[in-house]
Structures are given as structure tokens and as C-alpha cells.
Amino acid sequence: QVQLVESGGGLVQPGGSLRLSCTAYGTVLSINEMEWYRQAPGKERELVAGITSAGSTNYADSVKGRFTISKENAKNTVYLQMDALKPEDTAVYYCYADIIQTIIPRSLEVWGQGTLVTVSS
């Protein structure tokens, strides 16, 4: 089994920065892709950023130039560096991973429990 553990959320003032981390633990052979989603109160969950095994990245238009996704393969960890935060970035941020396991079934999609980011003065 695989578990995603997120950390780094919290309260920050507008214009501030936070870095989220997400680590995959368990029967991980390799990771095809890891993504960050967010869900604000009363809104649907949306993709924020993603990174493939090859290192290709993609971002939502609303965060381009402010957020940076990166990964550390040896630690099965993905990061989301969030700069110039705005109140509208307030949401629960979820990590998602498309994983190849060492056990059957080989392919597995897994979500983290979510971490709350609040941007407010």
C-alpha cells in the first residue's frame, strides 16, 4: 500500500510564501506523475500544478509565475513553492500521485489527506 503525507500548510499574509511537501510512503517502485490540487470552500477541486517523471511541469493559469512545483526522486517527494500568495489562494491543497507499485496491482492512483492554506491579513 502507498500513503501520501502532506505538510507545510498554514496561515500566511498576502504577498507571503509557503512551501508544501508531499511524500509517498510504502510499496513505491516508481512514480509517473505527481500533482497538486486545491479546493476552496464552495468550489470544485482544481488542478494547481503537476510534474512528470521526466520533469515536465504544468500550471494553472492562476498560479503561473507565482508557484513552482519540483520533486526529489530519491525521497519520492514533490514540493510546491508558493510565492506572492493572494487571499484567493486560500484552500485545502491535496497531493495526487500516479504510482507503479512493487506489488499487484502495479498501477495505483492515490490522494493525500489535504493541508489547509489560509492567506489572510
Side-chain angles (χ1 to χ4, degrees):
Q1 298 296 327
V2 176
Q3 182 181 15
L4 298 182
V5 178
E6 300 147 338
S7 62
L11 173 65
V12 63
Q13 292 186 342
S17 298
L18 280 176
R19 189 176 83 152
L20 305 183
S21 300
C22 171
T23 299
Y25 294 99
T27 54
V28 179
L29 177 62
S30 62
I31 300 176
N32 293 324
E33 185 168 11
M34 295 187 82
E35 297 173 334
W36 287 98
Y37 287 76
R38 68 185 180 187
Q39 187 166 18
K43 295 188 177 181
E44 293 188 355
R45 190 173 297 189
E46 63 174 354
L47 176 66
V48 176
I51 186 166
T52 69
S53 57
S56 297
T57 59
N58 64 287
Y59 297 91
D61 288 342
S62 59
V63 307
K64 283 181 181 177
R66 300 189 297 122
F67 290 11
T68 303
I69 190 169
S70 61
K71 63 188 177 81
E72 194 167 356
N73 291 333
K75 295 183 177 181
N76 289 334
T77 297
V78 65
Y79 305 98
L80 186 67
Q81 177 66 40
M82 304 185 294
D83 299 318
L85 282 161
K86 305 175 181 180
E88 51 263 43
D89 294 318
T90 296
V92 177
Y93 283 72
Y94 297 91
C95 180
Y96 160 87
D98 178 5
I99 288 172
I100 303 298
Q101 294 192 104
T102 58
I103 60 173
I104 301 296
R106 294 294 186 195
S107 296
L108 180 69
E109 297 182 350
V110 61
W111 290 87
Q113 80 284 358
T115 185
L116 177 62
V117 172
T118 302
V119 184
S120 175
S121 55

